[in-house]
Amino acid sequence: MFTRLIAASLALSAFVAPVRAEETNPSVALLRDFEAIGGRVYVDSDRCKEHPAYGWYVNGTIHICVKNHLGDEEELADTVRHEVWHAIQACNGGPLTHDLDREVGEAVRRGWYPSQYPRHQWETEAEARNAAYNYSETEIAGFLNTYCN
């Protein structure tokens, strides 16, 4: 498990020595928090080769496809925040917000195309995109602690 986290930390933080990166990288810390509540994390699993995605969450598992980010560390950190937000939504039984039209509208204004997803996923995807944009790893870890413990 921690080998995957170390690999992610190296990809997320190229300028920090590997041991320090594991200790200080906010995305790695957030993934560790997710694992601490019983979640599983896979980095660059074989499934990443099958899907042109940056990552996904399903049933207590997060897949992060570091190689698919092509070195874009900012986008990689955004993906980690986004996927952990989906875990928070799962703990909550759905989106946390009550103004889902606003969530979809905000995500669309920032360039999201809802047509890439089935209609029933629009609210959860829009909210996760907005949360990843609006909240830091530390703030998302707080939500994780509140909703998933």
Side-chain angles (χ1 to χ4, degrees), residues 53 71 138:
T138 302

Side-chain angles (χ1 to χ4, degrees), residues 12 21 28 31 49 51 76-77 88 90 105 113 123 133 141 146 149:
L12 292 168
V28 173
L31 291 173
K49 296 173 189 170
H51 300 284
L76 181 56
I88 295 165
Y113 297 101
E123 289 84 2
Y133 181 81
T146 298
N149 278 326

Side-chain angles (χ1 to χ4, degrees), residues 9-86:
S9 72
L10 291 172
L12 292 168
S13 186
F15 301 109
V16 182
V19 175
R20 286 295 292 164
E22 182 183 349
E23 294 171 3
T24 62
N25 185 288
S27 294
V28 173
L30 184 56
L31 291 173
R32 280 187 157 189
D33 290 345
F34 174 69
E35 286 186 321
I37 63 155
R40 291 187 321 224
V41 176
Y42 296 97
V43 176
D44 285 328
S45 68
D46 288 340
R47 294 194 63 197
C48 289
K49 296 173 189 170
E50 302 165 11
H51 300 284
Y54 285 161
W56 63 91
Y57 168 87
V58 64
N59 299 325
T61 301
I62 291 176
H63 288 261
I64 300 294
C65 303
V66 174
K67 292 177 184 172
N68 291 357
H69 287 82
L70 302 175
D72 188 338
E73 294 178 18
E74 186 175 321
E75 187 65 41
L76 181 56
D78 183 83
T79 297
V80 170
R81 292 189 305 271
H82 176 99
E83 299 309 335
V84 172
W85 194 265
H86 280 313

Side-chain angles (χ1 to χ4, degrees), residues 10-11 52 99 120 124 138:
L10 291 172
D99 191 353
H120 71 275
T124 55
T138 302

Side-chain angles (χ1 to χ4, degrees), residues 86-138:
H86 280 313
I88 295 165
Q89 291 171 324
C91 292
N92 189 55
L96 280 63
T97 55
H98 299 289
D99 191 353
L100 298 175
D101 287 338
R102 186 189 65 74
E103 291 289 336
V104 170
E106 181 182 336
V108 167
R109 280 189 296 282
R110 285 199 330 277
W112 179 58
Y113 297 101
S115 60
Q116 296 172 327
Y117 294 89
R119 173 66 183 93
H120 71 275
Q121 291 180 350
W122 286 7
E123 289 84 2
T124 55
E125 281 301 320
E127 184 185 77
R129 287 176 183 276
N130 295 336
Y133 181 81
N134 292 318
Y135 298 125
S136 70
E137 287 83 358
T138 302

